[in-house]
Amino acid sequence: MKVAIVNNHKEKTLSVVKKLKLLLKETDIQLNQLQPDIVITVGGDGTLLNAFHQYYQIVDRISFVGIHTGHLGFYTDWRDYQLEELVDALVHSTPESVSYPLLELDVTDDEGKKSYLALNEATIKRMSQTLKADIHIKNEFFESFRGDGVCVATPTGSTAYSKSLGGAVLHPRLKALQLTEIASINNRIYRTLSSPIVIAPDEWITIYPESQDDYVVTLDSHELRHRRVSRLDYRIAKSQINFAKFRHTHFWSRVEDAFIAQKNNNEQF
Ligand code: NAP
Ligand code: MN
């Protein structure tokens, strides 16, 4: 088995990585950053997002394992003190995996069409003036949007940006995309639905922004560079992300732990 490690650069993370490498050295597991079977991330959810974007081209062939060195994350369910247990599980069991949907974003601009994959969400925003765009669902006109922008999130992304925008938290086993509005203008002239929508697995969303050159298109933690975007299509990707299922934290327990539970800083999980 070949393992790659992706980490952030916090002091605590670096000491965990050092210990993890020492433990792996005593096994048959090889470290291979280029062609891994398993990608272990050490850090937070943001670290796992970065790792996903490093390995998106081989995402179907690999599984992720997330170790968190801060708070319990949504993509990271191993604690830093469980390294022995993790390495033991890697050596003794072929991990089953659990797969979650990804978002495919196709951006069409002056130069043609380009496809991207997102794990959390993709947004289009405009900063000082408003974004004006027609939104279609499955090739049918839905609404004319005017406001800061819109966000389309995956089920696992529903606890991130989408939640801050008033979106519902979706169980990650649902194959669905959720569209939320970012500060829409609603008056007698401009009218949007004003509530989040969740589309079916075989549907897609198309956004036709009015021709301007100052849109910001984001994909998870990244900002995409495109000039004169004429349309954006959002659909559930054919590829999925796989997580090695050694441990499995009940999804709603994670939600409870992240957003509701009153815990002190020395949280135990
Ligand atoms: P960041 O600005 O450092 O992180 C934003 C926060 O979102 C961090 O606490 C991160 O957790 C958390 N997070 C990431 N994915 C999550 C998920 N699926 N469920 C729940 N929380 C999640 O940037 P980053 O760490 O690279 O993360 C990028 C993400 O930030 C974007 O994909 C977007 O979802 C989110 N974001 C949110 C807002 C907002 O809510 N207003 C605005 C912009 C971006 P960790 O601390 O564990 O990394
Ligand atoms: Mn982060």
Side-chain angles (χ1 to χ4, degrees), residues 9-260:
H9 294 281
K10 293 195 176 138
E11 208 177 310
K12 185 165 179 196
T13 300
L14 296 178
S15 74
V16 168
V17 170
K18 200 169 153 192
K19 189 171 166 203
L20 177 62
K21 284 184 174 164
L22 284 174
L23 287 170
L24 289 172
K25 240 187 195 158
E26 290 165 22
T27 69
D28 291 339
I29 300 167
Q30 297 164 31
L31 275 181
N32 185 324
Q33 293 296 116
L34 292 179
Q35 293 294 329
D37 303 305
I38 292 194
V39 176
I40 301 179
T41 70
V42 189
D45 282 334
T47 317
L48 197 126
L49 281 174
N50 289 339
F52 166 73
H53 286 279
Q54 273 180 46
Y55 292 102
Y56 74 93
Q57 284 165 317
I58 54 166
V59 74
D60 286 318
R61 284 184 269 136
I62 60 178
S63 299
F64 290 87
V65 174
I67 301 172
H68 61 101
T69 50
H71 53 91
L72 172 76
F74 280 88
Y75 298 121
T76 54
D77 41 13
W78 288 83
R79 284 306 310 258
D80 47 4
Y81 52 75
Q82 293 166 321
L83 293 180
E84 280 90 353
E85 198 190 322
L86 171 62
V87 173
D88 200 57
L90 284 171
V91 171
H92 296 289
S93 54
T94 317
E96 239 187 279
S97 71
V98 52
S99 307
Y100 297 134
L102 295 169
L103 164 68
E104 181 188 318
L105 168 67
D106 296 341
V107 183
T108 309
D109 68 7
D110 275 3
E111 287 164 20
K113 190 169 92 175
K114 234 182 137 187
S115 290
Y116 300 92
L117 285 181
L119 176 54
N120 272 350
E121 75 286 292
T123 73
I124 176 164
K125 303 186 247 195
R126 197 160 174 226
M127 290 310 178
S128 38
Q129 291 182 292
T130 54
L131 164 77
K132 291 181 217 153
D134 279 351
I135 300 182
H136 292 226
I137 300 173
K138 210 173 174 180
N139 288 344
E140 299 273 349
F141 173 80
F142 181 65
E143 64 184 12
S144 281
F145 179 89
R146 183 163 183 179
D148 282 8
V150 296
C151 169
V152 179
T154 63
T156 53
S158 70
T159 45
Y161 200 174
S162 178
K163 184 174 184 300
S164 308
L165 298 170
V169 172
L170 263 63
H171 192 288
R173 269 205 312 271
L174 292 172
K175 274 193 178 326
L177 294 179
Q178 179 168 207
L179 178 139
T180 47
E181 303 179 350
I182 313 176
S184 61
I185 296 176
N186 270 283
N187 54 28
R188 282 188 294 182
I189 300 161
Y190 301 104
R191 188 140 303 278
T192 59
L193 183 66
S194 298
S195 59
I197 61 168
V198 178
I199 62 163
D202 62 345
E203 295 184 324
W204 65 95
I205 295 167
T206 309
I207 296 181
Y208 296 96
E210 205 171 80
S211 59
Q212 297 291 343
D213 204 14
D214 54 353
Y215 299 124
V216 177
V217 178
T218 72
L219 194 76
D220 299 335
S221 338
H222 303 275
E223 206 175 296
L224 304 179
R225 307 262 161 227
H226 280 276
R227 295 179 64 83
R228 283 178 281 277
V229 175
S230 56
R231 68 183 278 177
L232 299 114
D233 292 278
Y234 304 76
R235 56 169 60 80
I236 292 175
K238 290 196 182 72
S239 305
Q240 291 196 301
I241 185 167
N242 311 308
F243 287 92
K245 198 180 160 187
F246 298 117
R247 282 168 65 76
H248 197 60
T249 312
H250 177 51
F251 176 70
W252 297 109
S253 303
R254 275 191 218 211
V255 174
E256 188 268 345
D257 185 87
F259 299 113
I260 305 169

